[in-house]
């Protein structure tokens, strides 16, 4: 068997050693992700066992989710107070480019690291003036990170390349490569990875049980394994 086409099972490798999860919904009770602290701590314990080094919480920030001001920060502080593990835990956000985004930007955006801001759009259609919005983010001193571009029905290769030309970063959902979201999404993810267009990786985990089930059988070629590892070394 050719070394480059040999399949590696992620859970039986050192893949997650030093891994930073740049996209997840572990912070409990603030969006459609985990509901309780117990669930969140179980997920954190699982990631720690895998060898993950950093978890960047990215709760949804969108018109459809209404929370009291400071609620995400309050829950984050509660989680930190109860966490006894060794991973670094960071609070950021996943910002929907909807009608309320510009107000959120004026209030202040939480970054993944440096000046990176994770943004998403509707799965079915781009927002009006998508590139103008991305330009505004850049003018405000941030670098837009496009969450899971492989999943958007309206995107294709020309859009991917234009986003890169606009100096956007692209974030892969790890399980896209396992067919979690269907064959079309998997092919998009494989194309972007093979072309070296991804910049960072996230799990987008919402529920621990389903994530573990999907991850347990995930195998990728040695070539793609090495391409992914290169993103966080």
């Amino acid at each position: 068997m050719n070394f480059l086409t040999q399949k590696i099972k992620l859970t039986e490798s050192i893949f997650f050693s030093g891994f930073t999860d740049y996209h997840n919904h572990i912070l409990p009770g603030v969006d459609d992700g985990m509901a309780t602290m117990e669930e969140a701590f179980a997920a954190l314990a699982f990631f720690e066992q895998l060898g993950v080094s950093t978890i960047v919480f990215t709760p949804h920030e969108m018109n459809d989710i209404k929370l009291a001001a400071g609620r995400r920060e309050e829950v984050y502080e509660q989680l930190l107070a109860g966490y006894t593990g060794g991973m670094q835990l960071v609070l950021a956000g996943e910002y929907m480019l909807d009608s309320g985004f510009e107000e959120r930007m004026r209030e202040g955006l939480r970054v993944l690291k440096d000046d990176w801001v994770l943004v998403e759009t509707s799965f079915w259609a781009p927002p009006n003036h998508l590139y103008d919005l991305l330009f505004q983010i850049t003018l405000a001193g941030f670098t837009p990170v496009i969450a899971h571009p492989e999943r958007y029905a309206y995107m294709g290769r020309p859009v991917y390349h234009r986003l890169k030309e606009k100096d956007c970063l692209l974030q892969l959902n790890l399980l896209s490569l396992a067919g979690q979201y269907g064959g079309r999404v998997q092919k998009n993810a494989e194309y972007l990875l093979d072309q070296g267009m991804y910049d960072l990786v996230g799990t987008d985990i919402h529920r621990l049980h389903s994530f573990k089930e999907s991850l347990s059988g995930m195998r990728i070629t040695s070539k793609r394994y090495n391409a992914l590892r290169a993103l966080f070394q």
Side-chain angles (χ1 to χ4, degrees):
M1 180 182 292
N2 187 298
F3 172 74
L4 294 180
T5 60
Q6 178 184 356
K7 293 289 185 74
I8 297 174
K9 190 173 184 179
L10 293 193
T11 55
E12 295 177 357
S13 72
I14 62 165
F15 177 79
F16 288 100
S17 177
F19 180 79
T20 295
D21 184 2
Y22 282 111
H23 184 176
N24 59 78
H25 297 276
I26 295 174
L27 193 70
V30 295
D31 61 10
D32 61 344
M34 298 187 182
T36 67
M37 281 289 176
E38 289 74 17
E39 288 182 78
F41 286 135
L44 293 176
F46 175 70
F47 280 119
E48 193 143 11
Q49 290 171 5
L50 290 176
V52 173
S53 66
T54 304
I55 300 289
V56 183
F57 300 120
T58 54
H60 286 296
E61 298 270 4
M62 58 172 59
N63 290 345
D64 292 342
I65 297 178
K66 305 295 185 183
L67 291 174
R71 177 60 181 159
R72 295 173 184 86
E73 289 78 3
E74 178 184 344
V75 174
Y76 172 62
E77 293 298 331
Q78 291 173 357
L79 187 146
L80 288 183
Y83 177 62
T84 59
M87 294 186 297
Q88 182 180 5
L89 307 181
V90 178
L91 178 60
E94 181 184 13
Y95 294 92
M96 176 65 75
L97 295 179
D98 57 20
S99 62
F101 174 73
E102 291 178 81
E103 181 178 351
R104 293 184 204 104
M105 187 163 60
R106 287 191 294 271
E107 292 172 348
L109 304 177
R110 296 188 301 271
V111 298
L112 302 175
K113 63 174 286 188
D114 300 330
D115 62 357
W116 298 358
V117 171
L118 186 67
V119 298
E120 65 172 336
T121 76
S122 160
F123 286 109
W124 308 111
N128 292 331
H129 313 300
L130 170 62
Y131 296 104
D132 287 342
L133 279 173
L134 295 174
F135 183 59
Q136 288 180 41
I137 295 170
T138 302
L139 283 181
F142 300 103
T143 298
V145 178
I146 310 300
H148 42 61
E150 70 275 5
R151 295 184 62 190
Y152 299 116
Y154 69 89
M155 282 193 185
R157 296 182 183 184
V159 176
Y160 300 149
H161 286 276
R162 186 174 181 189
L163 289 170
K164 295 298 288 185
E165 290 167 2
K166 297 292 185 181
D167 295 324
C168 293
L169 305 182
L170 304 185
Q171 174 259 308
L172 165 69
N173 273 13
L174 182 63
L175 293 183
S176 292
L177 293 171
Q180 175 76 15
Y181 311 100
R184 181 191 64 83
V185 173
Q186 182 174 358
K187 289 184 181 299
N188 291 341
E190 290 171 347
Y191 171 80
L192 287 164
L193 183 62
D194 292 346
Q195 294 295 311
M197 296 175 71
Y198 281 121
D199 301 280
L200 59 163
V201 187
T203 62
D204 202 2
I205 182 174
H206 285 64
R207 300 286 182 271
L208 179 58
H209 176 75
S210 58
F211 178 79
K212 289 173 70 173
E213 187 174 35
S214 297
L215 183 65
S216 66
M218 184 174 177
R219 298 174 182 271
I220 58 175
T221 66
S222 298
K223 181 178 180 180
R224 288 176 178 147
Y225 177 96
N226 291 333
L228 285 173
R229 285 283 299 170
L231 295 179
F232 55 93
Q233 289 181 337

